[in-house]
Amino acid sequence: MMNVDKLYDNAARNGVVCLGLDTSAAYIPEGFLAGFNTVGEAVFEFNRKIIDATCDAVACYKVQIAYYEAMGLEGLAAYSKTLKYIKSAGQLAIADVKRGDIKETAAMYAKAHYSGDFEADFVTLNPYMGMDTLEPFEPYFAEGKGCFALVRTSNAGARDIQYLSADGGRRVYEIVGEKLKALGEKHMGARGYSAVGAVVGATNAEEGATLREKLSTTFFLIPGFGAQGGRGADAAVYLRDNNGGTVNSSRAVLTRWKKHEDGAARFDSYARAEVLDMREQIVVTSY
Amino acid sequence: MMNVDKLYDNAARNGVVCLGLDTSAAYIPEGFLAGFNTVGEAVFEFNRKIIDATCDAVACYKVQIAYYEAMGLEGLAAYSKTLKYIKSAGQLAIADVKRGDIKETAAMYAKAHYSGDFEADFVTLNPYMGMDTLEPFEPYFAEGKGCFALVRTSNAGARDIQYLSADGGRRVYEIVGEKLKALGEKHMGARGYSAVGAVVGATNAEEGATLREKLSTTFFLIPGFGAQGGRGADAAVYLRDNNGGTVNSSRAVLTRWKKHEDGAARFDSYARAEVLDMREQIVVTSY
């Protein structure tokens, strides 16, 4: 069974939330942090408690490697342990690494993030260098792994390149989306979606319906919800039958405890509460 | 003194070669590899010998993190040690990480690759998500650090996005180049080049002269030489007064020993020989 099929089934069973474990030390209650010898250990144990409290309520987890790289080798050990823990909990992990490089190098990235210490079920990829940079990932798609390549991101600067009108009047992101769909059709799963997903930001919903229609076999990873300003209605336009996409929230979930007087002691329960609230917002507004 | 000024001075003194330490276990002589307990250790010691043999003949080193990530945590320890050794040798390191993400995440990448275990003098960046993804790097430019952002890469797939004709008939890569130049003008060094460099592949030389002229204050990182098919003449068009760019070669240098009967015992000397040959090719053809 391909990972994109498992993701589809998870979304159907648990809802479409993708919980982003972009864990900064600043998100961890001081008292909890103080209980560990290293920040890396505290980050992993914080993640573990969040995963335990949410694994039946999310479609998958996304781990943003930048937060771990910023802690150096110790952080990457916590990154590796977090990925392994997600797997042991029977859940799916997206390695948010946004890699993209020439073939020989891309083959190294595929090996790095689909096997060994940093093995994940999906990786995010940056296609700016061209479609040949995705080729080394294809043998892994055949084994069930998946990816989400950047199409239209949630930041303001997305307009600088992705929105340029290019050959034939189409925008750059539309051209990228079509190329990804074509590649994905070589790697179709059993639920109507391919191993080649796309990152489409929830903060610009106007083109959402068109993208959903055109990229009919593309599973979406939808960032920008919560702290980045996206709302449930913005995210819902990218879904079909309340599936076909997973909506990410990171900071809003990890730091929900800060809004509550007893938050520090119950950060995991509050993370779950935020996931459930978010799930309800997206479902309600999509009907 | 800004790193881009140091790089300029190194290029003037040592020549424009950038030695890429994209070290795969397959590039290391078997006998040498066998002398270490772990592949990570062998990779670092291989790099150390190459650095010792070449540090007065290159402008800088580029370390492609993918090769180290593919070895997991052990590989990243070797990556960290390699960066530190380059610094202790009085040389400059480009972390070839091609990162690019929303501001909060980009700030984590800047911290990760400009300080701590993975500190480098320059990083490579991918601008597909937009210019706001570069903003978190600017405080570090003010402290002397630098970057090379992708403009036009050396792979065949570069045509998929970078060559699209966009608004006003310009190509996407030209628009990206102009935006980078404008950003760089806020961070000028003393030698006429800014902290914001550009990656421009040596395998498509026809537009080289135009790029060199338009991006007059942009230092170039020029990949694609050697194993990727670029020639000295292709690289030289990106230079001005035999400076203003650094020409990368990785595999051809690291594996030159394989062409010689006594290569395994003298891989470091042969790496130096390849650097000297390459330096001569670029200088000769640029006059």
Side-chain angles (χ1 to χ4, degrees), chain B residues 173-280:
Chain B
Y173 81 76
E174 292 174 304
I175 295 170
V176 172
E178 284 164 26
K179 287 182 192 293
L180 292 170
K181 178 175 191 257
L183 176 65
E185 279 165 1
K186 296 198 281 170
H187 305 283
M188 287 299 297
R191 308 281 186 271
Y193 294 97
S194 83
V196 183
V199 176
V200 290
T203 49
N204 293 294
E206 66 274 20
E207 313 101 338
T210 311
L211 270 179
R212 178 65 290 168
E213 194 184 345
K214 283 203 177 163
L215 306 184
S216 54
T217 53
T218 308
F219 208 93
F220 290 150
L221 169 58
I222 305 154
F225 191 90
Q228 285 184 60
R231 295 163 301 131
D234 296 335
V237 297
Y238 294 95
L239 303 177
R240 183 199 291 133
D241 301 328
N242 212 36
N243 209 321
T246 181
V247 184
N248 180 253
S249 180
S250 303
R251 268 170 292 162
V253 176
L254 302 183
T255 65
R256 163 77 177 253
W257 64 268
K258 293 187 177 184
K259 293 183 181 171
H260 301 271
E261 214 168 297
D262 63 344
R266 301 181 52 220
F267 64 83
D268 48 349
S269 310
Y270 284 116
R272 181 178 178 86
E274 181 70 20
V275 165
L276 299 182
D277 283 357
M278 184 180 157
R279 192 168 74 172
E280 200 174 344

Side-chain angles (χ1 to χ4, degrees), chain A residues 24 64-67 69-74 76-77 80 96-102 104-105 108-109 111-113 117-118 126-133 150-151 153-158 160-162 164-167 172-173 175-176 179 228 251, chain B residues 24 64-67 69-74 76-77 80 96-102 104-105 108-109 111-113 117-118 126-133 150-151 153-158 160-162 164-167 172-173 175-176 179 228 251:
Chain A
S24 157
Q64 171 50 264
I65 199 171
Y67 285 77
E69 285 187 7
M71 292 182 270
L73 290 165
E74 170 189 324
L76 286 162
S80 174
D96 196 356
V97 297
K98 296 190 179 68
R99 301 297 191 260
D101 216 306
I102 58 167
E104 295 77 6
T105 304
M108 291 291 163
Y109 278 135
K111 182 182 173 197
H113 298 286
D117 289 343
F118 307 129
N126 185 320
Y128 180 73
M129 287 181 66
M131 295 301 290
D132 56 353
T133 64
L150 298 177
V151 170
T153 56
S154 54
N155 56 317
D160 292 339
I161 300 175
Q162 300 161 34
L164 292 173
S165 287
D167 306 340
V172 167
Y173 81 77
I175 295 170
V176 172
K179 286 181 193 292
Q228 285 184 59
R251 267 170 293 163
Chain B
S24 158
Q64 169 51 263
I65 198 171
Y67 285 77
E69 285 187 7
M71 292 182 269
L73 290 165
E74 171 188 323
L76 286 161
S80 173
D96 196 356
V97 296
K98 297 190 178 66
R99 301 297 192 260
D101 216 306
I102 59 168
E104 295 78 5
T105 304
M108 290 292 163
Y109 279 136
K111 183 181 171 196
H113 299 285
D117 289 342
F118 307 130
N126 184 322
Y128 180 73
M129 288 181 65
M131 294 302 291
D132 56 355
T133 63
L150 297 178
V151 170
T153 56
S154 54
N155 56 318
D160 292 340
I161 301 175
Q162 300 161 34
L164 292 173
S165 286
D167 306 341
V172 166
Y173 81 76
I175 295 170
V176 172
K179 287 182 192 293
Q228 285 184 60
R251 268 170 292 162

Side-chain angles (χ1 to χ4, degrees), chain A residues 236-287:
Chain A
V237 298
Y238 294 94
L239 303 177
R240 183 199 291 135
D241 301 330
N242 212 38
N243 209 320
T246 184
V247 184
N248 179 254
S249 180
S250 304
R251 267 170 293 163
V253 175
L254 302 183
T255 66
R256 163 77 174 253
W257 65 268
K258 293 189 177 183
K259 294 183 180 171
H260 301 273
E261 213 168 297
D262 63 343
R266 301 180 54 221
F267 65 82
D268 47 350
S269 310
Y270 284 115
R272 182 179 178 86
E274 180 70 19
V275 165
L276 298 181
D277 284 358
M278 184 179 158
R279 193 168 71 171
E280 202 173 344
Q281 278 181 62
I282 298 165
V283 172
V284 168
T285 55
S286 68
Y287 281 102

Side-chain angles (χ1 to χ4, degrees), chain B residues 80-101:
Chain B
S80 173
K81 285 169 76 176
T82 298
L83 290 174
K84 288 184 197 314
Y85 193 74
I86 292 167
K87 188 174 190 166
S88 75
Q91 260 288 0
L92 296 168
I94 301 171
D96 196 356
V97 296
K98 297 190 178 66
R99 301 297 192 260
D101 216 306

